[in-house]
């Protein structure tokens, strides 16, 4: 059962790594490279630590505990990635860049030299003994061997030093990006759990080195803390990104009614492809698809610009004056925009039918579309509100009032038609 769990986590982490690689290919940055590399290394560690794989590797090398070496070096590499990532995100180290390069290089060299020394010590040690083949009790089973003891001391000391440095930096950094803030908060929690792993294993190993195994269970408990720390840190790397991905997927779907209205029903050639309407079903590259959908909607609204009637604004003003329940300014603007777009689409469709052409001449006196001066950073939220307001009761009432005004011979607010 443990093997199944480990392999399931490995596959999940590998999927996250491949996902980050696709992001890295679009935006090659040191941070994304570290994140993608961390997930790939973590996936390999989980595979190697799975009991069945652990035993098979030992059998292949004729040393039952041999898989401990790649697992421990991999664990150190994973938390080294997190540590180096916090360096990259530190604005103080980036000013000047040479300071960041030196600090980054120094820590990288430390981790590389430690891994090399651990490999030499492990391969030189005598790993025979009754506890061979049990990854959870390796530390205490072989603590009596001086080379293994030094191997474990290097591993725990470097892991503790790096994790404490990561924790301190996570607590001190104040990033502007909420995604980085989310990651740092979870890095800090994961680092504390890893320190807990060290605090549990250090005394257990020290006592085992004297020949007593009274604290062996504490060492096993430490392994649980270490595994939890790895999962918590992995969530820090992916949680905010996954949440953003889910929001993008949700928003693509929510924008579809508006896209249908101003793109499909106005000029389908504005769409990226014939499958754009179903793009919300795709799993990858959500940010691109969302951006593309917003661009297509803007193109559609621009095409409808000459057909925007001032009557919808007049109709909304009349209805608002009689309503007891007042909407917020953003909601009111969304309703005004939705009503104007629906009315413009109806006018365009009617003109196409009457003039028997796809490019009919629009009537004079077009009005500007409400909300056109929205800041770029707020545009996504505005379009979501407009898409949601297409079927709002007030929007329907505005359309009915607009039709009544037009039927009554009014061409613009307060002025009868010629």
């Amino acid at each position: 059962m443990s093997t199944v769990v480990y392999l399931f986590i490995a596959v999940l982490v590998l999927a996250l790594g491949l996902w980050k690689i696709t992001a890295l290919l679009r935006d090659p940055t040191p941070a994304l490279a570290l994140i993608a590399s961390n997930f790939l290394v973590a996936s390999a560690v989980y595979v190697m630590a799975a009991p069945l794989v652990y035993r098979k590797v030992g059998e292949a090398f004729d040393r039952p505990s041999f898989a401990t070496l790649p697992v421990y070096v991999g664990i150190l590499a994973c938390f080294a990635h997190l540590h180096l990532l916090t360096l990259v995100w530190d604005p103080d180290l980036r000013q000047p860049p040479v300071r960041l390069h030196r600090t980054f290089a120094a820590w990288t060299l430390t981790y590389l030299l430690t891994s090399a020394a651990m490999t030499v010590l492990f391969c030189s040690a005598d790993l025979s003994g009754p506890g061979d083949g049990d990854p959870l009790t390796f530390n205490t089973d072989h603590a009596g061997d001086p080379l293994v003891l030094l191997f474990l001391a290097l591993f725990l000391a470097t892991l503790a030093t790096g994790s404490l440095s990561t924790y301190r930096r996570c607590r001190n950094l104040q990033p502007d990006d909420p995604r980085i803030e989310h990651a740092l908060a979870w890095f800090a929690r994961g680092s504390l759990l890893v320190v807990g792993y060290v605090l549990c294993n250090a005394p257990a190993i020290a006592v085992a080195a004297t020949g007593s195994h009274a604290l062996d269970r504490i060492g096993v408990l430490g392994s649980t803390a270490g595994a939890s720390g790895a999962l918590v840190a992995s969530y820090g790397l992916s949680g905010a990104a996954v949440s953003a991905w889910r929001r993008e997927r949700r928003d693509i779907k929510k924008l579809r009614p508006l896209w249908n209205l101003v793109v499909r029903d106005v000029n389908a050639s504005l769409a990226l492809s014939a499958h754009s309407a179903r793009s919300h079903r795709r799993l990858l590259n959500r940010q691109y698809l969302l951006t593309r959908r917003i661009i297509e909607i803007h193109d559609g609204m621009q095409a409808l610009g000459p057909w925007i009637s001032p009557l919808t604004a007049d109709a909304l003003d009349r209805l608002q004056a009689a309503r007891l329940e007042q909407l917020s300014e953003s909601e009111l603007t969304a309703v005004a925009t939705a009503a104007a777009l629906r009315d413009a689409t109806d006018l365009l469709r009617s003109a196409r039918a009457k003039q028997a052409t796809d490019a009919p001449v629009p009537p004079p006196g077009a009005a500007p579309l409400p909300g056109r001066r929205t800041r770029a950073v707020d545009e996504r939220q505005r379009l979501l509100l407009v898409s949601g307001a297409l079927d709002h009761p007030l929007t329907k009432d505005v359309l009915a009032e607009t039709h009544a005004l037009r039927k009554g011979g009014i061409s613009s607010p307060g002025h009868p038609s010629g």
Side-chain angles (χ1 to χ4, degrees):
M1 183 61 183
S2 297
T3 297
V4 174
V5 172
Y6 272 82
L7 293 180
F8 173 78
I9 296 175
V11 170
L12 181 61
V13 173
L14 177 61
L16 291 172
L18 295 176
W19 179 36
K20 288 299 180 181
I21 288 176
T22 62
L24 178 63
L25 293 175
R26 296 193 305 270
D27 182 23
T29 62
L32 275 175
L34 285 170
I35 293 172
S37 176
N38 176 77
F39 278 127
L40 296 180
V41 173
S43 177
V45 170
Y46 279 111
V47 170
M48 199 68 64
L52 178 61
V53 178
Y54 186 94
R55 289 192 295 269
K56 292 295 183 182
V57 171
E59 293 172 4
F61 286 88
D62 198 25
R63 301 182 72 179
S65 297
F66 185 81
T68 299
L69 176 61
V71 169
Y72 279 24
V73 171
I75 290 172
L76 190 61
C78 287
F79 286 96
H81 278 81
L82 302 184
H83 185 190
L84 297 175
L85 192 56
T86 60
L87 299 181
V88 171
W89 283 337
D90 191 334
D92 293 334
L93 283 180
R94 292 199 298 267
Q95 301 296 330
V98 65
R99 185 183 172 197
L100 171 61
H101 295 159
R102 289 176 179 173
T103 307
F104 191 96
W107 275 107
T108 301
L109 184 61
T110 299
Y111 287 119
L112 289 175
L113 291 177
T114 300
S115 298
M118 287 171 57
T119 301
V120 172
L121 290 169
F122 187 90
C123 293
S124 303
D126 178 12
L127 298 178
S128 61
D132 280 347
D134 189 345
L136 293 180
T137 61
F138 172 86
N139 293 354
T140 51
D141 285 341
H142 297 281
D145 186 293
L147 293 180
V148 173
L149 189 60
L150 187 54
F151 164 84
L152 293 173
L154 271 176
F155 171 63
L156 294 178
T158 308
L159 191 61
T161 302
S163 296
L164 287 173
S165 178
T166 301
Y167 175 78
R168 179 182 60 83
R169 200 170 295 277
C170 288
R171 299 294 293 178
N172 293 335
L173 289 180
Q174 295 181 342
D176 296 329
D177 192 329
R179 294 172 297 179
I180 294 180
E181 184 179 11
H182 174 277
L184 291 174
W186 287 96
F187 284 4
R189 298 182 181 101
S191 297
L192 286 181
L193 286 170
V194 173
V195 173
Y197 166 81
V198 174
L199 293 177
C200 287
N201 272 275
I205 293 170
V207 171
T210 65
S212 172
H213 293 275
L215 300 181
D216 283 10
R217 290 187 177 180
I218 295 179
V220 174
L221 179 63
S223 298
T224 303
S228 300
L231 289 175
V232 166
S234 295
Y235 175 75
L237 287 173
S238 60
V242 170
S243 297
W245 178 87
R246 292 179 63 186
R247 286 194 300 271
E248 288 164 357
R249 185 174 184 271
R250 176 202 64 194
D251 290 352
I252 289 172
K253 189 173 182 179
K254 285 186 174 182
L255 286 173
R256 185 172 180 180
L258 182 58
W259 184 92
N260 287 341
L261 178 71
V262 303
V263 177
R264 186 191 65 183
D265 296 343
V266 173
N267 188 351
S269 65
L270 297 175
L272 175 64
S273 71
H275 304 291
S276 288
R278 298 194 300 273
S279 62
H280 69 275
R281 297 177 184 174
R282 301 175 187 176
L283 294 177
L284 299 177
N285 213 358
R286 311 304 305 175
Q287 189 175 31
Y288 169 78
L289 293 174
L290 177 60
T291 302
R292 183 65 212 182
R293 175 146 292 184
I294 290 174
I295 291 172
E296 291 173 359
I297 288 173
H298 273 284
D299 290 343
M301 292 194 307
Q302 185 174 3
L304 280 173
W307 299 89
I308 301 297
S309 171
L311 290 178
T312 55
D314 187 50
L316 179 60
D317 290 341
R318 294 188 182 197
L319 292 173
Q320 275 294 99
R323 280 173 60 90
L324 296 177
E325 179 187 356
Q326 298 296 317
L327 300 178
S328 66
E329 182 178 353
S330 59
E331 292 173 328
L332 194 60
T333 301
V335 167
T337 305
L341 291 173
R342 286 188 58 177
D343 181 65
T345 304
D346 291 341
L347 290 176
L348 177 57
R349 188 183 296 112
S350 176
R352 282 174 174 171
K354 291 179 180 179
Q355 301 179 26
T357 176
D358 288 335
V361 178
L369 189 66
R372 65 193 182 283
R373 294 183 178 178
T374 302
R375 297 185 307 164
V377 70
D378 299 324
E379 188 62 16
R380 173 175 165 183
Q381 184 59 34
R382 179 179 84 97
L383 294 182
L384 287 169
L385 287 174
V386 172
S387 188
L390 290 175
D391 291 319
H392 192 281
L394 180 57
T395 302
K396 296 178 180 179
D397 291 342
V398 171
L399 288 173
E401 182 70 13
T402 300
H403 295 160
L405 291 174
R406 187 173 290 122
K407 189 175 181 180
I410 298 177
S411 59
S412 60
H415 299 280
S417 61

